[in-house]
Amino acid sequence: MRRRRPVPPSPLPQRDGIDPVRVRLPQGTAWATVRDHLVDRLAAGPGVIDGMLDAGLIVDVEGRPVPRDTAYVPGMWVWFHRDLPPEVPVPFALDVVYRDEHIVVVDKPHFLATTPRGSHVAETALARLRRDLGLPTLSAAHRLDRLTAGLVLFTVRPGERGAYQSLFRDRLVTKEYEAVAPYDPALALPRTVRSRIVKERGVMAAREVEGEPNAVSEVELLRRRDDGPARYRLTPRTGQTHQLRVHMATLGVPILGDPLYPEVRDPVPADDFSRPLQLLARVLEFTDPVTGREYRFVSGRVLQAWASYEEWAGTPYDARA
């Protein structure tokens, strides 16, 4: 088997905690120049690409500007920084709960993405931490949905990232979530929910289909309020996209504030931080694969709809809502 060549180090530094974009020219002879390929591949338009090339903003592995007429060479790498549109700041603190020379564990607020993706780049936990902690090599060992709050593990040393990622891949991490959702007296709990969930690229919501289960969640009722919602402990045994949200909706008790389940709602403005999804990654427990130490971290956050439903919703509780 032919071994893949390692990615060379970036000749450009990070900018505000954000890595430069890297592009590897694929095999083929469809393009005469690097410029032609970038115009075809990127959605920026020929004028933008030409302007970046002329300004020396696209560089090769040595950090040298790539001229417009540079011949196309399969396997060549180029780097550049994107001009990012302004992002609405997420007005909530990102709390560091533990830090050493190997890992950083944070308690992420609702609405803050874990890593750059789509329209959320600078306003992400990773970019914030790189800037605030002065750790340019910091990487995420796993992801937490932007709308979900709670504990996230980051790694400090690039060479150790794979060891921590394997904890999640091999299901060696104990994760517990809390959720606030309607109470249904007819729903027998605790129970284990098993189903097959698929998430199609470009489709916002995941869905359950027939077939061998690939998603397993344990659902337990912790407490209910008289004439109010209930608080649940959710323990995922697998890691499918939106798994807990899908399973709670399937049980007929969708998590409060969920914009996708049981039905997709109209998007809210980017600066609307009201009614956050009432889902929290409460516990993260694992044995450190590098040091052998055992860790159990617990989020200090309180779900707003449990502390004060009316403050969260702006109206009295209505189980039919």
Side-chain angles (χ1 to χ4, degrees):
M1 179 181 291
R2 192 174 183 178
R3 296 183 63 183
R4 296 183 62 182
R5 299 176 63 180
V7 177
S10 171
L12 296 177
Q14 290 176 357
R15 181 186 292 171
D16 295 326
I18 302 167
D19 292 323
V21 176
R22 69 171 184 256
V23 176
R24 186 174 187 270
L25 309 189
Q27 297 295 322
T29 57
W31 305 277
T33 64
V34 174
R35 179 261 180 199
D36 293 342
H37 172 69
L38 294 179
V39 169
D40 281 353
R41 177 169 178 175
L42 306 178
V48 173
I49 299 300
D50 289 340
M52 293 177 67
L53 290 167
D54 293 344
L57 300 179
I58 300 177
V59 304
D60 64 12
V61 69
E62 302 295 337
R64 298 171 299 201
V66 176
R68 273 204 210 191
D69 59 354
T70 299
Y72 185 92
V73 178
M76 177 181 176
W77 292 91
V78 297
W79 284 262
F80 59 89
H81 279 288
R82 291 177 288 175
D83 284 332
L84 300 173
E87 297 179 40
V88 176
V90 178
F92 306 114
L94 176 63
D95 300 325
V96 176
V97 298
Y98 180 80
R99 175 184 177 183
D100 64 21
E101 64 269 32
H102 304 286
I103 62 174
V104 175
V105 179
V106 301
D107 203 348
K108 186 185 80 67
H110 297 286
F111 300 108
L112 186 68
T114 303
T115 56
R117 189 175 186 180
S119 60
H120 305 282
V121 181
E123 277 298 305
T124 59
L126 179 61
R128 273 200 199 179
L129 291 169
R130 283 175 171 176
R131 296 192 300 262
D132 295 347
L133 302 181
L135 293 175
T137 60
L138 198 71
S139 297
H142 64 122
R143 287 181 61 250
L144 198 60
D145 285 347
R146 184 179 69 89
L147 299 182
T148 304
L151 298 170
V152 187
L153 172 66
F154 291 84
T155 63
V156 176
R157 299 174 177 176
E160 296 174 352
R161 183 188 184 196
Y164 290 97
Q165 287 180 315
S166 69
L167 292 176
F168 295 88
R169 181 196 65 209
D170 298 337
R171 303 176 188 174
L172 299 176
V173 178
T174 297
K175 295 186 288 183
E176 293 181 8
Y177 289 71
E178 285 186 14
V180 179
Y183 172 71
D184 180 359
L187 180 63
L189 295 176
R191 70 165 61 190
T192 300
V193 183
R194 294 180 174 85
S195 70
R196 184 166 191 82
I197 295 177
V198 297
K199 175 68 168 65
E200 298 171 358
R201 188 178 183 87
V203 179
M204 289 191 294
R207 59 190 178 91
E208 291 180 309
V209 298
E210 296 292 331
E212 183 71 20
N214 63 356
V216 180
S217 306
E218 295 179 5
V219 181
E220 178 184 354
L221 176 66
L222 292 176
R223 187 180 171 189
R224 62 160 299 206
R225 293 194 187 282
D226 293 337
D227 301 322
R231 186 160 61 100
Y232 298 85
R233 177 186 291 123
L234 310 178
T235 306
R237 297 305 181 191
T238 55
Q240 297 300 318
T241 300
H242 297 175
Q243 173 179 318
L244 298 176
R245 297 163 65 181
V246 171
H247 282 168
M248 290 294 282
T250 298
L251 293 176
V253 286
I255 299 171
L256 295 183
D258 198 325
L260 298 181
Y261 308 99
E263 60 183 22
V264 177
R265 302 179 184 177
D266 293 335
V268 300
D271 60 352
D272 184 354
F273 299 108
S274 62
R275 295 199 184 191
L277 174 70
Q278 295 300 280
L279 180 62
L280 172 67
R282 173 67 75 190
V283 175
L284 194 63
E285 186 174 0
F286 59 92
T287 300
D288 191 302
V290 176
T291 67
R293 292 185 60 183
E294 294 185 357
Y295 292 108
R296 177 180 171 85
F297 299 104
V298 180
S299 170
R301 298 184 183 275
V302 176
L303 290 169
Q304 188 182 20
W306 181 254
S308 174
Y309 178 86
E310 291 193 18
E311 182 179 331
W312 173 81
T315 59
Y317 181 73
D318 183 350
R320 299 167 298 176

